Amino acid sequence: MTRVVVDTNVFVSSFFGGKPRQIIDLWKTGKILLCLSSGIVDEYVEVLRRLTLENEVELRQLLRLFAKGHNIVFTHAAPALKVVSEDPDDDKFIECAVALDARYIVTGDKALLALKNYMGIRIRSPHEFLMGMMGDE
């Protein structure tokens, strides 16, 4: 199963449909393995708490899937890396991907996308990721 780190902007956008929702659906149906760290989960929760989401049922469902560890791998010991000089807060996504040997980071963040690859980890937009999954990039 393909290991994927999903940036917060993609995760939160999934609540509104489109390609981010398709990516989260791949996780829910067991087609990808979601890679997480405590820093990523903390950011997901912080951003979701700030938003007023219309679909609270879906939010509860996602939190239950997290709690059960549904198609998730989690790292407690990610390396400390300094890669994204424009936004050091984004380093947590690269750290998680390195620690868990992820194949992809899916993001809408320009600073991360500018890297394209890091240590063999492909950094892709939701559209690029979905196209790559279909063609097994």
Side-chain angles (χ1 to χ4, degrees):
M1 196 178 321
T2 303
R3 291 177 178 228
V4 179
V5 174
V6 175
D7 192 350
T8 308
N9 57 51
V10 175
F11 182 77
V12 171
S13 294
S14 74
F15 286 88
F16 306 103
K19 293 183 186 337
R21 162 101 20 105
Q22 291 174 34
I23 292 164
I24 296 304
D25 287 345
L26 288 172
W27 162 60
K28 287 179 181 178
T29 58
K31 294 189 174 65
I32 64 173
L33 196 59
L34 188 62
C35 297
L36 296 172
S37 67
S38 59
I40 292 172
V41 171
D42 289 348
E43 187 171 287
Y44 284 179
V45 170
E46 176 189 331
V47 172
L48 290 171
R49 281 187 176 152
R50 279 189 271 146
L51 296 174
T52 305
L53 294 173
E54 292 177 19
N55 196 344
E56 289 186 31
V57 172
E58 184 172 358
L59 176 57
R60 282 195 303 273
Q61 177 193 25
L62 286 172
L63 293 175
R64 274 196 304 274
L65 292 174
F66 280 170
K68 290 179 183 176
H70 178 78
N71 299 322
I72 291 173
V73 287
F74 192 89
T75 182
H76 293 283
L81 300 172
K82 305 259 186 255
V83 180
V84 189
S85 56
E86 298 83 15
D87 190 356
D89 195 42
D90 287 338
D91 284 332
K92 71 176 146 290
F93 300 104
I94 293 175
E95 293 166 350
C96 180
V98 168
L100 294 172
D101 197 27
R103 187 167 174 194
Y104 291 96
I105 297 171
V106 182
T107 184
D109 183 276
K110 290 179 184 186
L112 277 171
L113 287 169
L115 295 173
K116 297 191 188 300
N117 286 290
Y118 181 78
M119 293 180 58
I121 301 161
R122 296 169 177 101
I123 303 169
R124 302 293 187 259
S125 71
H127 174 77
E128 292 167 332
F129 173 75
L130 290 168
M131 295 303 292
M133 286 296 292
M134 293 173 72
D136 201 34
E137 173 184 16

